[in-house]
Amino acid sequence: MIKAGIVGGTGYTGVELMRCLSRHPEADLVAVTSRTEQGKPVSGIFPSLRGVVDLTFSDPESGALSHCDVVFFATPSGTAMHQAPSLLEAGVKVIDLSADYRLRDKEVWEHWYDLKHASPDYLSEAVYGLPEVNRTEIAGARLVANPGCYPTVIQLGFLPLLEKDLVQTDSLIADAKSGVSGAGRNTSLATQFCETGESFSAYSADGHRHLPEIKQGLGSLSHGEIELVFVPHLLPIIRGIHATLYARLKEPGVDLHGLFTRRYESEHFVDVLPPGVHPDTASVCGSNTCRISVFQPQGGSTAVILAVEDNLVKGAAGQALQNMNIMYGLDEVTGLTQSALWP
């Protein structure tokens, strides 16, 4: 059994990790840490895990994590970069769900996260954990940077077009909307129900922290310089991301549906829908699936890609387990075969 630990188990990503790990047949969750809730039973904070996770929150400094095979960081950005190096040197594999190791350029990271990076030497070692692109590298990694929720769905949506050099890379547009759980489990006024219910708004239109991550990923696939307009929005729902992506085709007459179907036909967690079908966030709620549709309105020069995912699963915890499975040579679907919740 793989002995797993979680740093930061009191957030939405942390509880989703516990839910996913609890049904994984090859993993045993042995430690969950929280500075604020240490000593309290997990089920006391999350009643949904009563009878499922029989652990108490422990102090991150207790030493329990060093006895794990793999540790997941479900913490805000700026935490893993301090604690991950000692675990790595102790022989523990690390999957970081924060942004601490996603960007290769230290200066770019420090600009967008307004912090000094505490362990920049590991930036070049960290493998970006998008399995549909970096499966081979993930298999041999000891440090995986789990992609962000917006970057996952946007990269999967643009990927087939960029790989085949079919679109103009200087005019990409990502219009993406997320449920409020993407903001984390905090007391921010902006994410309280009375503020978000019956409302819809954009935010960070002048630059979101996920922008450099998305451009870095798309740039590695592209045959030209990436220029991307990315505008995130807040939806009055709990879970889910819906991304509408626009790209100008270089030539007409491309079989877009065939292109996407062929690219993802062997990917269990990417579902290309039949022509004319529009994906919705409810169809992926609670699952590790990204569903995609592709259109070419009026047969024109613009490709429109619609992509949806659960921001807490394929956009976070589920993808982290998918990466763990790859790192340990397991079938990628192990522990992740549950269908979406409906209704």
Side-chain angles (χ1 to χ4, degrees):
M1 295 288 280
I2 302 167
K3 293 183 292 184
I6 298 173
V7 181
T10 57
Y12 293 135
T13 300
V15 68
E16 189 64 33
L17 270 172
M18 287 188 275
R19 185 178 76 92
C20 292
L21 281 166
S22 70
R23 59 174 176 265
H24 196 292
E26 301 294 335
D28 185 16
L29 181 60
V30 298
V32 183
T33 75
S34 170
R35 295 187 188 279
T36 59
E37 305 294 347
Q38 58 181 293
K40 296 180 181 179
V42 167
S43 60
I45 305 298
F46 298 113
S48 62
L49 296 178
R50 182 176 172 83
V52 177
V53 177
D54 185 23
L55 291 171
T56 59
F57 290 106
S58 59
D59 184 341
E61 308 300 331
S62 67
L65 297 172
S66 63
H67 299 292
C68 294
D69 298 310
V70 61
V71 168
F72 299 87
F73 278 85
T75 51
S77 297
T79 298
M81 65 180 182
H82 291 283
Q83 299 180 33
S86 61
L87 291 172
L88 291 167
E89 296 313 308
V92 179
K93 293 183 179 182
V94 170
I95 300 175
D96 179 23
L97 283 78
S98 79
D100 284 10
Y101 296 105
R102 292 177 191 161
L103 300 181
R104 292 188 292 268
D105 190 306
K106 168 180 171 288
E107 284 70 29
V108 172
W109 188 92
E110 291 179 344
H111 168 76
W112 284 94
Y113 290 90
D114 199 25
L115 294 168
K116 182 175 177 59
H117 205 289
S119 51
D121 292 346
Y122 289 89
L123 293 175
S124 59
E125 177 184 345
V127 174
Y128 190 66
L130 191 64
E132 293 77 11
V133 177
N134 295 326
R135 185 170 281 110
T136 301
E137 292 79 6
I138 294 166
R142 63 171 186 162
L143 171 60
V144 168
N146 210 62
C149 51
Y150 281 127
T152 295
V153 72
I154 292 172
Q155 289 178 81
L156 291 176
F158 279 129
L159 188 156
L161 297 169
L162 294 177
E163 283 182 335
K164 297 298 184 180
D165 194 22
L166 295 176
V167 295
Q168 303 289 344
T169 60
D170 60 354
S171 55
L172 302 177
I173 297 174
D175 178 7
K177 298 95 174 172
S178 174
V180 294
S181 61
R185 190 168 180 252
N186 55 49
T187 57
S188 169
L189 177 64
T191 56
Q192 290 185 13
F193 181 76
C194 287
E195 303 294 323
T196 59
E198 303 300 324
S199 184
F200 175 61
S201 62
Y203 64 98
S204 298
D206 60 346
H208 188 277
R209 284 179 170 182
H210 283 169
L211 178 62
E213 178 186 343
I214 299 167
K215 291 184 69 174
Q216 175 182 274
L218 296 181
S220 69
L221 304 167
S222 174
H223 297 261
E225 185 71 21
I226 291 291
E227 291 296 333
L228 172 71
V229 175
F230 166 47
V231 182
H233 301 71
L234 188 64
L235 286 171
I237 62 174
I238 295 173
R239 289 173 178 255
I241 286 181
H242 187 298
T244 303
L245 313 176
Y246 304 89
R248 292 183 61 81
L249 294 164
K250 290 183 175 180
E251 297 180 4
V254 178
D255 177 12
L256 294 177
H257 186 266
L259 171 73
F260 275 72
T261 299
R262 288 189 298 273
R263 176 58 178 84
Y264 289 124
E265 61 186 353
S266 63
E267 297 291 349
H268 186 87
F269 296 116
V270 182
D271 178 25
V272 179
L273 296 176
V277 177
H278 296 69
D280 58 81
T281 58
S283 72
V284 294
C285 183
S287 80
N288 196 52
T289 300
C290 174
R291 288 206 161 91
I292 296 176
S293 290
V294 58
F295 295 86
Q296 191 174 350
Q298 294 82 53
S301 61
T302 301
V304 177
I305 305 96
L306 309 178
V308 298
E309 70 178 9
D310 186 321
N311 55 294
L312 295 177
V313 190
K314 182 58 174 170
Q319 185 153 247
L321 259 69
Q322 188 180 353
N323 281 318
M324 183 194 77
N325 287 339
I326 296 170
M327 293 166 79
Y328 284 93
L330 302 175
D331 189 324
E332 283 181 43
V333 307
T334 306
L336 292 168
T337 56
Q338 70 279 6
S339 62
L341 302 173
W342 192 272

